[in-house]
């Protein structure tokens, strides 16, 4: 249906309800419906799952078609991000939102700021999903409201060409509502707890759930020490729990992202159950750091390996440790088994952004699952500048190039910023996502915590200037003047918060009696130029 067709259909519906509906305006009904096209979180999840599946197929056909997202910790942040994307690029295609469990813990818990250890309320995750989509839907309503006003003006002024253009734009309107990849951490409990939380997250609008193979009650941030993994059967039960949650809600195309922390996790809480030699439990246990038995001690736990009785090394914390150097092998096994048991995408948490390291694991995974694809964390926990300068340094060293003017340990220093080495490193950072998607199977690149850092940086700049010598000029020059000149939509903050939409509704409901806020004396008119 077209906009005009919808108006005609609404007019027939109103006519069919007789005189009691005579004051209802078909144009207003149609506009309100277009401004609220998603009736529920499940509507959103179904819509965005289709988008993400199409994007995954496009990437399989051409690795240049990778997708991206930024982590957002508040609905307003997500809204402004998507408004900016539409402004600068004209489309939201391939651009998602990421919901970081780290930022929920640090910024959205009723306990106050917490570390990334799944101590926050599990309901805060679906609450943030719902909030993000509330703000994205409001961005739709706001933009369409402006388009409707322009359409009315074009018609009133007799500009039929402009009216036709606007009607076509309304018919082909692209929503701000995009996929969210939502972090369910390690499931916040057993498989049943994972299933219950997954349902809440999907009902709030999440089409993609990211789950990790750490122990729920021992969960750590992927970039910190002390991570403890679980045997494969435990993790696969949670993957199945997420799949059942999707299927129960009628979402056959819901997406599961299986994250492995094995590269940096050297500990396990459990010895896996083994049914027969070579099964998944036996493969998991084969990575344990064991020693031959010479004497038995009270409380010893023993396993049989290749017919020999062995003692797994156990810490005072009652955790068992894996052999050093087994992280990549464990990651590869984690990934293959996850894809073979219901996961759609992989996430390998690494300690540095190194394409060759990632690719070496993906190559091995693709020997078994040829279309394996990754979601990759372009993490702020990496010192990108130092990492890439050191990578260039090491390559130059291997090539025999002169490095007398560089100190590898101090390459972060600003004194190197304009050197050939630093400029080459910056170019490698610039093309990292494109290069990694082509070589290392990365379908989706995200930055987990960028808006946490941008909020801190911009607030620091404003506080320094406003409370310092610049005074009010600190805000005007540093914020407002830039907003006006760069076309930042929320410079008209009343409009952004819904004032004009409210005026539209007042007119629909009360007609000429409506007391509207957007009159001649509204100070937002100062920003019309």
């Amino acid at each position: 249906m077209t906009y005009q067709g919808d108006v005609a259909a609404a007019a027939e519906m109103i006519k069919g309800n007789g005189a009691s509906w005579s004051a209802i305006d078909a144009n207003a009904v149609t506009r309100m419906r277009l401004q609220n096209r998603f009736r529920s979180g499940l509507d959103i999840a179904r819509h965005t799952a289709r988008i993400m599946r199409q994007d995954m197929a496009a990437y399989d056909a051409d690795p240049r078609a990778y997708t991206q997202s930024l982590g957002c910790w508040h609905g307003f942040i997500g809204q402004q991000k998507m408004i900016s994307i539409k402004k600068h690029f004209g489309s939201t295609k391939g651009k998602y939102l990421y919901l970081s469990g780290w930022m929920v813990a640090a910024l959205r818990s009723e306990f106050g700021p917490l570390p990334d250890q799944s101590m926050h309320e599990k309901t805060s995750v679906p609450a943030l999903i719902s909030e993000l989509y509330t703000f994205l839907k409001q961005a739709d309503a706001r933009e369409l409201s402006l388009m409707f006003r322009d359409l009315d003006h074009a018609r009133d002024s007799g500009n039929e060409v402009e009216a036709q253009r606007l009607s076509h734009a309304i018919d082909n309107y692209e929503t701000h509502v995009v996929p969210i990849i939502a972090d369910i951490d390690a499931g916040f409990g057993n498989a049943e707890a994972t299933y219950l939380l997954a349902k809440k997250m999907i009902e709030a609008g999440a089409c993609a759930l990211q789950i990790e193979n750490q122990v729920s009650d021992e969960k750590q941030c992927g970039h910190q020490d002390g991570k403890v993994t679980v045997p494969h059967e435990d993790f696969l039960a949670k993957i199945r729990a997420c799949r059942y949650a999707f299927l129960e809600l009628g979402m056959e195309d819901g997406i599961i992202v299986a994250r492995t922390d094995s590269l940096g996790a050297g500990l396990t809480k459990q010895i896996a159950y083994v049914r027969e030699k070579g099964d998944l439990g036996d493969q998991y246990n084969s990575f344990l750091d064991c020693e031959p038995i010479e004497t038995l001690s009270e409380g010893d736990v023993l396993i049989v390996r290749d017919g020999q009785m062995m003692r797994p090394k156990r810490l005072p914390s009652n955790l068992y440790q894996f052999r050093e150097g087994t992280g990549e092998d464990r990651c590869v096994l984690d990934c293959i088994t996850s894809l073979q048991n219901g996961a759609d995408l992989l996430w390998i948490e690494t300690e540095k952004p190194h394409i060759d390291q990632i690719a070496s694991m993906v190559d091995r995974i693709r020997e078994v699952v040829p279309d394996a694809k990754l979601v990759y964390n372009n993490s702020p926990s990496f010192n990108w500048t130092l990492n890439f300068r050191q990578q260039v340094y090491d390559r130059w060293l291997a090539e025999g190039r002169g490095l007398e003017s560089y100190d590898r340990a101090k390459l972060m220093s600003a004194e190197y910023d304009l050197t050939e080495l630093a400029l080459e490193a910056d170019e490698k950072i610039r093309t990292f996502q494109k290069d990694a998607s082509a070589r290392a199977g990365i379908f989706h690149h995200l930055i987990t915590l960028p808006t946490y850092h941008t909020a801190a940086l911009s607030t620091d700049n404003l506080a320094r200037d406003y409370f310092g010598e610049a005074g009010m000029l600190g805000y005007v020059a540093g914020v407002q003047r830039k907003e006006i000149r760069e076309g930042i939509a929320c410079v008209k903050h009343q409009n952004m918060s819904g004032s004009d939409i409210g005026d539209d509704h007042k007119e629909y409901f009360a007609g000429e009696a409506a007391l509207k806020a957007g009159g001649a004396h509204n100070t937002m008119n100062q920003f019309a130029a």
Side-chain angles (χ1 to χ4, degrees):
M1 289 283 285
T2 64
Y3 171 60
Q4 287 305 123
D6 288 338
V7 172
E12 284 298 312
M13 177 266 297
I14 292 167
K15 182 179 178 181
N17 279 276
S20 65
W21 280 33
S22 61
I24 301 298
D25 181 72
N27 206 45
V29 170
T30 302
R31 292 180 177 190
M32 293 175 77
R33 285 177 170 176
L34 289 174
Q35 287 173 301
N36 187 28
R37 65 190 64 196
F38 299 104
R39 304 292 187 262
S40 69
L42 275 177
D43 284 348
I44 291 171
R46 293 187 181 106
H47 170 74
T48 54
R50 287 192 295 271
I51 292 172
M52 200 164 169
R53 289 287 179 182
Q54 290 166 2
D55 288 347
M56 290 162 67
Y59 175 79
D60 286 338
D62 183 356
R64 291 174 297 182
Y66 61 88
T67 56
Q68 300 167 291
S69 65
L70 296 174
C72 298
W73 52 272
H74 191 280
F76 177 74
I77 300 295
Q79 177 199 66
Q80 294 303 302
K81 176 189 130 180
M82 298 317 301
I83 288 173
S84 294
I85 286 169
K86 286 193 75 174
K87 181 183 79 170
H88 291 296
F89 304 105
S91 172
T92 61
K93 183 170 176 55
K95 312 296 191 293
Y96 304 167
L97 295 182
Y98 178 68
L99 187 155
S100 159
W102 190 99
M103 284 205 284
V104 173
L107 299 169
R108 303 300 301 250
S109 171
E110 292 186 10
F111 295 107
L114 292 172
D116 184 20
Q117 296 173 355
S118 294
M119 295 186 291
H120 54 280
E121 310 85 356
K122 64 175 70 177
T123 53
S124 60
V125 182
L128 179 53
I129 296 168
S130 180
E131 176 183 292
L132 283 161
Y133 280 128
T134 295
F135 274 81
L136 294 186
K137 289 192 295 181
Q138 196 264 0
D140 281 359
R142 170 192 166 272
E143 189 171 42
L144 283 164
S145 172
L146 295 173
M147 294 169 75
F148 295 145
R149 286 165 181 258
D150 289 344
L151 177 61
D152 290 342
H153 178 72
R155 286 173 172 169
D156 291 344
S157 62
N159 189 342
E160 187 57 32
V161 173
E162 178 65 2
Q164 287 294 327
R165 185 194 70 79
L166 286 163
S167 291
H168 179 75
I170 292 166
D171 290 341
N172 294 278
Y173 182 76
E174 183 183 61
T175 177
H176 294 83
V177 171
V178 297
I180 287 179
I181 298 176
D183 187 357
I184 198 172
D185 283 7
F188 286 85
N190 60 14
E192 176 69 10
T194 302
Y195 152 78
L196 292 171
L197 178 55
K199 281 210 306 179
K200 289 291 185 185
M201 293 170 69
I202 298 162
E203 288 170 338
C207 72
L209 305 178
Q210 168 219 322
I211 187 165
E212 63 201 57
N213 68 335
Q214 291 191 46
V215 178
S216 286
D217 57 355
E218 302 283 354
K219 184 257 187 302
Q220 292 276 15
C221 172
H223 294 282
Q224 293 190 299
D225 209 353
K227 294 182 289 295
V228 183
T229 63
V230 296
H232 294 92
E233 289 296 347
D234 292 34
F235 186 53
L236 298 179
K238 292 186 176 183
I239 289 177
R240 286 190 288 272
C242 291
R243 181 62 65 204
Y244 276 111
F246 275 122
L247 294 175
E248 180 181 339
L249 295 171
M251 280 197 60
E252 289 80 4
D253 54 358
I255 293 131
I256 298 171
V257 182
R259 167 176 147 180
T260 173
D261 283 279
S262 292
L263 198 62
L267 303 170
T268 184
K269 199 170 188 177
Q270 299 166 257
I271 296 176
Y273 179 73
V274 178
R275 294 175 178 83
E276 58 183 85
K277 182 175 175 59
D279 67 11
L280 265 182
D282 190 39
Q283 291 179 69
Y284 188 79
N285 292 343
S286 71
F287 296 114
L288 292 171
D289 192 0
C290 298
E291 57 190 2
I293 297 170
E294 295 181 359
T295 59
L296 288 173
S297 302
E298 290 291 330
D300 270 351
V301 173
L302 308 177
I303 65 171
V304 175
R305 178 178 288 170
D306 296 326
Q308 182 178 7
M309 200 77 75
M310 306 285 284
R311 179 191 295 112
K313 293 181 181 178
R314 187 163 50 160
L315 305 178
S317 59
N318 205 32
L319 298 171
Y320 300 93
Q321 64 187 45
F322 293 111
R323 300 193 314 276
E324 286 191 18
T326 62
E328 287 203 9
D329 290 340
R330 287 183 281 123
C331 273
V332 170
L333 182 60
D334 294 344
C335 292
I336 291 171
T337 55
S338 294
L339 292 174
Q340 291 174 332
N341 287 272
D344 302 288
L345 296 167
L346 302 171
W347 173 314
I348 300 175
E349 195 75 276
T350 65
E351 81 286 359
K352 59 182 179 293
H354 196 293
I355 292 175
D356 289 341
Q357 179 197 37
I358 304 163
S360 67
M361 290 183 279
V362 172
D363 287 346
R364 294 172 61 189
I365 296 163
R366 285 183 162 178
E367 290 176 4
V368 182
V369 186
D371 64 347
K373 294 180 283 296
L374 267 66
V375 171
Y376 187 70
N377 179 9
N378 293 223
S379 177
S381 294
F382 303 145
N383 185 330
W384 286 77
T385 301
L386 183 60
N387 264 292
F388 275 80
R389 288 180 181 182
Q390 288 183 338
Q391 287 179 40
V392 173
Y393 181 99
D394 292 342
R395 194 182 75 254
W396 284 13
L397 182 64
E399 294 170 353
R401 296 182 58 168
L403 291 162
E404 297 79 10
S405 57
Y406 299 100
D407 182 339
R408 189 180 188 279
K410 298 179 180 178
L411 288 174
M412 183 65 197
S413 173
E415 68 182 271
Y416 294 117
D417 283 357
L418 298 179
T419 63
E420 183 184 358
L421 184 148
L423 294 175
E424 182 174 328
D426 281 354
E427 179 62 11
K428 290 293 184 185
I429 295 170
R430 187 185 72 81
T431 64
F432 173 80
Q433 294 186 337
K434 175 175 67 72
D435 296 341
S437 290
R439 174 66 187 92
I442 297 175
F443 157 72
H444 185 78
H445 287 275
L446 61 89
I447 308 178
T448 43
L449 319 175
T451 54
Y452 177 89
H453 293 280
T454 54
L457 179 61
S458 61
T459 302
D460 180 80
N461 290 338
L462 176 60
R464 177 198 62 207
D465 295 341
Y466 176 74
F467 293 105
E469 288 299 315
M472 191 58 198
L473 185 61
Y475 172 75
V476 172
V479 180
Q480 190 182 76
R481 193 176 294 164
K482 290 181 178 180
E483 285 182 303
I484 296 169
R485 292 175 176 173
E486 295 179 22
I488 305 300
C490 70
V491 70
K492 297 183 180 181
H493 48 257
Q494 306 287 15
N495 168 267
M496 185 58 63
S497 70
S499 178
D500 290 342
I501 297 171
D503 277 359
D504 292 340
H505 290 172
K506 289 175 184 178
E507 187 171 359
Y508 300 160
F509 306 155
E512 293 181 357
L515 183 64
K516 296 191 287 186
H521 299 295
N522 188 322
T523 57
M524 288 292 102
N525 293 330
Q526 296 174 34
F527 299 100

